[in-house]
């Protein structure tokens, strides 16, 4: 008699406007079976890079991939070559990253036509992201209409913010009519990292207050009290908050009026300026922190000023969220810059000794791919480096929901 193995695999899809990132995980042990990226979709120079993590084999293909439908079919073919095809009875669900869920979606949600319609209604507040997410969902549903598909929302973790943190100080009738409020993003990362930080401290998340600093090309901070987000730096869109790779972060709104009235710039030109030509890139022409640090070491004053502006904003948010939380058990650095740039961590904490914050230079200089403390032994507030794992978080939430529904 043959044993029937329960479906335990989850395919995680992150569909961008011209790319699809994916991972296949086995949730019995959270092991990764395959991962890959399709980029430059719709161009003649499209590229698919696929790695079977059980064998270590990597395959690359270049050439035109017309659309997301073709991209996902190509991904399915690569998975099938490794015996991991979408038709496998071991595939339990597909989990989709969806950037904006508004206030309607506060937790992972099984996708049906009504859910799709609501994600579509949110396009005006996420015009760059939700359309691409929808395309990936529709294509995946067409490939496996019988399989549960789950949306995991970047904004969901932040829906626990109190109204005092989520509301802008504008006419609430106008705000509600146009869905204007602070939603926050990078929620799967903030959820995962805050929980892993508590684990690193040997405590339950409900017992820990954490400031999470997700520092990548996009960057955001959050104040997490007992496992619940009470404030975050991004707002209606991912433009608000910290200085980022190409985004300005916090800005006097009157700058926009000034650029339109005095500078003669159109709304589209201002949008492009603030989202794609500002931040570190706008300040010094580079948005790669490694290159900026190299230039600083060579005496480049423009790069040094950009770094100082970046750190100044970061310190302001650390101090603000310390005040919001009242008591802080840990500060966690994560994402590409947060995990790898020791000078950023050192500079962000420098001068905050009165708040119980410090980094140990030796510990901070160590490169590692595991969660670790970089604060001195016995420090009042722990300073941690916690590699984020948004794919695992999406897979975990997806598998938990599918199991619950079954």
């Amino acid at each position: 008699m043959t044993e029937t193995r329960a479906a335990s695999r989850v395919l995680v899809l992150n569909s961008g406007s011209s790319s699809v990132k994916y991972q296949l995980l086995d949730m019995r042990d959270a092991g990764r079976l395959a991962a890959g990226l399709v980029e430059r979709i719709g161009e003649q120079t499209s590229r698919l890079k696929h790695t079977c993590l059980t064998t270590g084999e990597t395959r690359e293909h270049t050439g035109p991939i017309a659309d997301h439908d073709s991209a996902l079919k190509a991904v399915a073919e690569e998975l099938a070559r490794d015996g991991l095809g979408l038709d496998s009875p071991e595939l339990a669900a597909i989990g989709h990253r969806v950037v904006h869920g508004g206030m309607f979606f506060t937790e992972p949600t099984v996708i049906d036509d009504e859910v799709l319609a609501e994600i579509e209604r949110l396009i005006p507040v996420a015009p760059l992201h939700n359309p691409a997410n929808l395309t990936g969902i529709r294509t995946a549903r067409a490939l496996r209409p019988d399989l549960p598909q789950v949306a995991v929302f970047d904004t969901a973790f932040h829906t626990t913010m109190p109204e005092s943190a989520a509301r802008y100080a504008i006419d609430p009738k106008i705000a509600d009519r146009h869905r204007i409020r602070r939603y926050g993003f990078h929620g799967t990362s903030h959820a995962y990292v805050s929980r892993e930080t508590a684990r690193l401290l040997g405590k339950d998340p409900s017992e820990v207050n954490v400031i999470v600093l997700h520092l990548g090309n996009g960057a955001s901070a959050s104040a997490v009290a007992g496992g619940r987000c009470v404030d975050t730096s991004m707002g209606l869109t991912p433009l608000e908050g910290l200085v980022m790779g190409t985004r300005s972060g916090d800005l006097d709104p009157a700058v926009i009026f000034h650029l339109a009235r005095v500078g003669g710039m159109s709304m589209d030109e201002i949008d492009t300026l603030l989202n794609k030509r500002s931040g570190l890139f706008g300040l010094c022409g580079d948005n790669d922190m490694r290159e900026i640090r190299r230039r600083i070491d060579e005496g480049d004053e423009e790069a040094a000023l950009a770094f100082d502006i970046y750190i100044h904003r970061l310190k302001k948010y650390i101090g603000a969220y310390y005040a919001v939380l009242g008591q802080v058990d840990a500060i966690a650095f994560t994402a590409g810059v947060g995990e790898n740039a020791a000078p950023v961590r050192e500079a962000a904490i420098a001068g905050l000794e009165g708040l119980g914050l410090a980094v140990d230079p030796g510990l901070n200089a160590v490169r590692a791919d595991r969660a670790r403390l970089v604060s001195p032994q016995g420090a009042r507030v722990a300073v941690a480096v916690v590699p984020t794992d948004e794919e695992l978080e999406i897979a975990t939430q997806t598998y938990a929901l599918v199991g619950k529904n079954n």
Side-chain angles (χ1 to χ4, degrees):
M1 182 175 179
T2 57
E3 180 183 352
T4 302
R5 180 180 290 182
S8 60
R9 296 174 183 170
V10 174
L11 177 63
V12 175
L13 293 178
N14 181 354
S15 299
S17 58
S18 61
S19 68
V20 175
K21 296 178 184 177
Y22 63 95
Q23 285 195 15
L24 179 66
L25 298 93
D26 190 327
M27 299 313 295
R28 289 174 297 178
D29 58 4
R32 285 166 173 76
L33 303 175
L37 167 67
V38 187
E39 56 186 346
R40 299 192 290 273
I41 296 172
E43 300 179 20
Q44 293 298 308
T45 57
S46 305
R47 173 174 170 265
L48 189 160
K49 182 177 181 180
H50 171 89
T51 301
C52 177
L53 296 168
T54 58
T55 64
E57 180 187 1
T58 295
R59 299 186 291 271
E60 289 194 36
H61 307 282
T62 57
I65 297 177
D67 49 32
H68 283 70
D69 182 64
S70 300
L72 282 181
K73 286 177 179 175
V75 169
E77 289 174 6
E78 291 301 319
L79 290 169
R81 285 181 63 181
D82 299 321
L84 304 169
L86 296 190
D87 58 351
S88 169
E90 294 183 58
L91 186 60
I94 298 177
H96 297 267
R97 180 199 180 206
V98 179
V99 167
H100 216 309
M103 291 304 293
F104 189 83
F105 298 108
T106 61
E107 56 189 14
T109 305
V110 174
I111 298 167
D112 57 20
D113 291 342
E114 183 181 344
V115 170
L116 274 177
E118 182 61 25
I119 295 172
E120 192 161 16
R121 279 193 286 272
L122 286 163
I123 286 176
V125 289
L128 298 178
H129 299 95
N130 274 29
N133 301 154
L134 280 166
T135 300
I137 290 169
R138 289 184 173 122
T139 301
R141 289 182 86 200
L143 287 173
R144 280 298 307 268
D146 58 312
L147 195 68
Q149 314 249 346
V150 175
V152 178
F153 299 90
D154 272 14
T155 51
F157 183 65
H158 304 303
T159 57
T160 56
M161 284 193 295
E163 287 293 278
S164 56
R167 285 276 185 182
Y168 290 109
I170 65 173
D171 184 332
K173 294 186 180 66
I174 294 174
D176 290 345
R177 186 183 313 139
H178 300 289
R179 303 191 186 206
I180 298 172
R181 61 185 290 119
R182 302 186 63 251
Y183 294 101
F185 299 90
H186 295 144
T188 52
S189 178
H190 287 280
Y192 178 84
V193 170
S194 60
R195 195 170 59 248
E196 288 299 301
T197 302
R199 183 180 300 174
L200 185 63
L201 299 180
K203 296 182 178 180
D204 188 271
S206 64
E207 303 171 336
V208 177
N209 287 359
V210 186
I211 297 172
V212 178
L213 303 172
H214 177 108
L215 308 179
N217 191 51
S220 60
S222 67
V224 183
R228 293 168 58 86
C229 177
V230 295
D231 205 348
T232 192
S233 59
M234 287 179 168
L236 173 71
T237 75
L239 182 59
E240 186 180 358
L242 302 175
V243 175
M244 304 176 224
T246 65
R247 298 182 193 132
S248 66
D250 290 340
L251 190 78
D252 181 348
V255 170
I256 296 171
F257 312 145
H258 183 81
L259 290 173
R261 293 168 182 161
V262 179
M265 294 177 69
S266 69
M267 285 296 107
D268 285 345
E269 288 172 330
I270 296 171
D271 190 321
T272 298
L273 171 70
L274 298 182
N275 277 291
K276 297 180 179 179
R277 291 171 42 213
S278 295
L280 292 171
F281 178 79
L283 289 167
C284 71
D286 271 311
N287 61 324
D288 187 321
M289 187 59 72
R290 293 165 296 187
E291 181 64 16
I292 290 170
R293 289 303 309 177
R294 184 194 65 76
R295 288 172 55 184
I296 291 172
D297 292 341
E298 293 178 353
D300 189 315
E301 294 183 2
E302 191 178 59
L305 178 58
F307 183 81
D308 289 346
I309 293 170
Y310 181 94
I311 294 298
H312 180 77
R313 186 81 54 83
L314 198 50
K315 279 181 184 283
K316 284 175 67 175
Y317 269 91
I318 292 171
Y321 287 171
Y322 207 114
V324 166
L325 291 169
Q327 173 188 331
V328 177
D329 298 290
I331 290 182
F333 289 86
T334 192
V337 175
E339 294 170 28
N340 298 301
V344 168
R345 298 191 295 264
E346 181 180 3
I349 298 302
L352 302 181
E353 293 80 7
L355 299 178
L357 291 162
V359 295
D360 180 293
L363 294 175
N364 191 43
V366 173
R367 295 286 295 269
D369 59 1
R370 56 178 174 77
R372 61 200 187 279
L373 296 179
V374 296
S375 46
Q377 189 172 4
R380 194 165 88 235
V381 178
V383 179
V385 180
V386 181
T388 192
D389 198 333
E390 294 176 88
E391 289 78 14
L392 177 57
E393 182 68 18
I394 292 169
T396 300
Q397 292 189 27
T398 296
Y399 191 63
L401 179 60
V402 170
K404 186 195 306 181
N405 286 354
N406 288 341

